[in-house]
Amino acid sequence: MRIIKSAIAVGLCYVVAMFREGNGIVFYSQLAALWCMQHYVKNSLSSAKQRTVGTIIGALYALAVILVSNEFHISPEEHSMIYSIVVTLMIIVVIYTTVIINKKQASYFSCVVFLSIVVNHLADQNPYLFVWNRFLDTMIGIIIGLGVNAFHLPKKKNRDILFLSGLDDTLLNKNDNMTAYSQFELNRILDDGAKFTISTKRTPASMMEPMQGIHLNLPVIAMDGAVLFDIKQKRYLKKYIISYGKAREMIDLIEENELNYFVNVVIDDMLVIYYQDMEDKVQKNLVTTMRRSPFRNYVKRQLPKEEEVVYLMILDKIDTIERFYKVLEEKGYTEQFKVMKYNSDDYPGYAYIKIYNKNASKSNMLEYLKQELGIEKVVSFGTIPNKYDVLIEPGDMNQVVRVIRKMYEPVKLGFKK
């Protein structure tokens, strides 16, 4: 739409120029209109302010140069060397003025307007009228650009729907990137008041890195439903935890089977991962890679007494993981805890086991979030058939945002009586 709106703005500048009967130069209006055609309306306003300040500064200094040149009969044609030196030196004055008044971002526009007047000045024209027309050209473009960019069809805003999306293979591709379209549209509707959040098996640290440019306002469901995390305040609002006694019981079993493990604990809204000496290269690489994040804190020591655990994790070769999972089944731990087993995408030939509180689930955490927000209707997005309201096709990273946009702001047709 920004492409289409840019073309419309250029066309409207032509229309306005027709009514001015040759008094303006449409080129300057079109430049200003295109500059104001930003992704977000608030950015357009900022660009318009910069352009306006720059236009005023450039026009005033240009007028001063023209008046002085006329007073001393310095003609651009007959005294080109002197005139060129004056214009060149005035560029310093123009830019320095924007610095003094703390409008440095407007310096470029000031120079453009200044040069467009003094370089294209015709000696036989009224200098006041000439400068006024150049100023008016720019202001017409700014007004058209702002108006076109802010225009949209009347739409209903469904702010009573909570949109809940997965992360991997839904919003993010294999490289942990979101498309430019999804980033822009999602931020736009979030800034407009849409209720949207994420539900993922990732930790908040792993999720925050690829989502740092998204204006998330609501808490996110992380660690496969074990925690509810407030991204803005960096706080864990709710946790389903494993008691120290149960965690110690599980750790003893893991150590009996001679496996390495990671214990994830939240202390004062800080994620701490306890681990031990490891010989396996993949396990060591995991620690080396993950500890770089400022949102994770790896500590090489045993779980301190009486600390509650969010989840325990084991990363090992697939056959080792399969054997230990059978041990958990035989001892009934898969019934007492929520136990997840899946192959690693990052380390071929390896698999994970993650052990959570039995009640740690996305559905339980979602119910809690709904109560906190006072929302009944939820639309969920995911890649597993018959589990989500909207099934996301593999490889279509824009589908989530496209559907949300249509459901959040459908176009209103007709009029209410």
Side-chain angles (χ1 to χ4, degrees):
M1 282 304 299
R2 193 160 70 103
I3 297 172
I4 296 173
K5 286 183 175 182
S6 297
I8 292 173
V10 168
L12 289 176
C13 288
Y14 275 123
V15 173
V16 174
M18 292 170 58
F19 286 98
R20 295 182 66 195
E21 299 179 347
N23 289 322
I25 299 177
V26 70
F27 172 73
Y28 298 119
S29 297
Q30 291 166 337
L31 282 183
L34 290 174
W35 182 261
C36 293
M37 204 61 59
Q38 301 293 321
H39 287 86
Y40 304 104
V41 174
K42 63 179 181 181
N43 291 353
S44 294
L45 291 171
S46 176
S47 297
K49 291 177 183 178
Q50 293 177 24
R51 190 89 194 194
T52 302
V53 171
T55 299
I56 293 172
I57 293 172
L60 290 176
Y61 277 118
L63 178 61
V65 168
I66 293 173
L67 292 176
V68 171
S69 298
N70 289 347
E71 180 69 23
F72 291 95
H73 305 290
I74 300 174
S75 169
E77 292 80 11
E78 298 177 6
H79 308 90
S80 60
M81 181 61 70
I82 297 175
Y83 192 79
S84 299
I85 292 173
V86 171
V87 170
T88 301
L89 293 176
M90 282 301 299
I91 286 293
I92 298 174
V93 178
V94 171
I95 296 176
Y96 192 58
T97 300
T98 64
V99 175
I100 291 175
I101 65 174
N102 198 27
K103 297 292 182 181
K104 290 180 285 186
Q105 292 179 323
S107 61
Y108 170 76
F109 312 116
S110 299
C111 292
V112 169
V113 173
F114 173 77
L115 292 174
S116 70
I117 295 173
V118 297
V119 173
N120 296 321
H121 168 62
L122 299 178
D124 59 342
Q125 286 187 295
N126 183 318
Y128 296 102
L129 181 60
F130 187 89
V131 172
W132 167 251
N133 280 324
R134 294 299 75 72
F135 173 78
L136 192 58
D137 290 335
T138 301
M139 295 310 299
I140 288 172
I142 289 173
I143 294 170
I144 289 175
L146 287 176
V148 173
N149 203 34
F151 175 80
H152 57 80
L153 294 172
K155 296 179 179 180
K156 178 184 177 183
K157 308 293 184 178
N158 289 317
R159 296 189 174 93
D160 58 343
I161 301 176
L162 174 61
F163 299 101
L164 181 71
S165 174
L167 199 59
D168 298 287
D169 298 324
T170 50
L171 286 173
L172 302 180
N173 59 24
K174 296 295 184 182
N175 297 320
D176 261 12
N177 295 323
M178 188 183 299
T179 67
Y181 166 83
S182 289
Q183 286 184 17
F184 167 71
E185 285 295 336
L186 186 55
N187 279 336
R188 183 183 63 79
I189 60 177
L190 284 172
D191 292 342
D192 189 59
K195 291 181 172 59
F196 169 85
T197 191
I198 300 292
S199 178
T200 177
K201 66 183 179 183
R202 295 189 183 205
T203 63
S206 178
M207 179 199 63
M208 286 172 69
E209 290 162 3
M211 297 294 287
Q212 60 183 348
I214 305 303
H215 308 163
L216 290 172
N217 297 313
L218 298 181
V220 297
I221 300 172
M223 300 183 187
D224 207 49
V227 300
L228 185 67
F229 185 72
D230 188 325
I231 286 184
K232 297 178 71 175
Q233 299 184 20
K234 306 295 187 295
R235 292 182 56 233
Y236 290 84
L237 304 179
K238 183 174 177 59
K239 306 184 295 288
Y240 287 106
I241 51 88
I242 302 172
S243 67
Y244 173 79
K246 286 293 184 180
R248 187 70 254 177
E249 182 181 333
M250 185 61 66
I251 290 172
D252 291 340
L253 178 64
I254 295 172
E255 291 178 341
E256 286 175 13
N257 285 266
E258 300 181 346
L259 298 175
N260 292 318
Y261 57 92
F262 301 86
V263 185
N264 290 260
V265 177
V266 174
I267 304 174
D268 293 332
D269 291 314
M270 177 176 63
L271 180 63
V272 178
I273 302 101
Y274 296 112
Y275 71 104
Q276 301 77 44
D277 283 321
M278 299 175 177
E279 297 296 328
D280 186 278
K281 291 183 178 180
V282 168
Q283 295 170 354
K284 292 172 71 173
N285 179 262
L286 175 71
V287 175
T288 302
T289 303
M290 295 300 179
R291 74 185 317 157
R292 296 170 184 165
S293 168
F295 305 109
R296 302 184 186 92
N297 301 275
Y298 279 82
V299 180
K300 188 163 64 173
R301 60 164 293 179
Q302 287 285 335
L303 174 69
K305 287 187 177 180
E306 305 309 321
E307 279 196 12
E308 298 171 328
V309 174
V310 178
Y311 75 95
L312 297 102
M313 185 184 83
I314 303 169
L315 170 65
D316 217 312
K317 294 177 181 178
I318 292 176
D319 56 347
T320 302
I321 292 294
E322 293 290 348
R323 285 196 299 269
F324 185 66
Y325 186 80
K326 290 180 180 178
V327 172
L328 294 174
E329 284 184 318
E330 291 170 359
K331 294 185 175 292
Y333 285 120
T334 54
E335 299 296 324
Q336 296 181 37
F337 299 91
K338 172 184 173 181
V339 181
M340 294 180 60
K341 173 177 65 71
Y342 58 93
N343 293 342
S344 172
D345 293 330
D346 299 318
Y347 304 108
Y350 279 71
Y352 292 98
I353 282 181
K354 293 183 178 179
I355 303 168
Y356 300 87
N357 180 297
K358 184 68 175 178
N359 296 320
S361 69
K362 295 178 181 178
S363 58
N364 286 344
M365 199 62 82
L366 177 59
E367 287 303 316
Y368 174 82
L369 180 60
K370 286 168 59 180
Q371 292 178 11
E372 290 296 304
L373 298 176
I375 289 180
E376 291 296 327
K377 186 174 182 179
V378 176
V379 178
S380 59
F381 302 82
T383 57
I384 302 175
N386 302 319
K387 187 175 180 180
Y388 300 95
D389 299 313
V390 180
L391 179 66
I392 303 303
E393 299 297 330
D396 190 351
M397 300 297 103
N398 290 326
Q399 186 179 355
V400 172
V401 177
R402 283 201 303 265
V403 174
I404 291 176
R405 188 187 67 177
K406 291 178 181 178
M407 297 184 69
Y408 169 68
E409 50 181 17
V411 176
K412 292 193 295 185
L413 300 176
F415 299 91
K416 291 183 179 180
K417 293 183 179 180

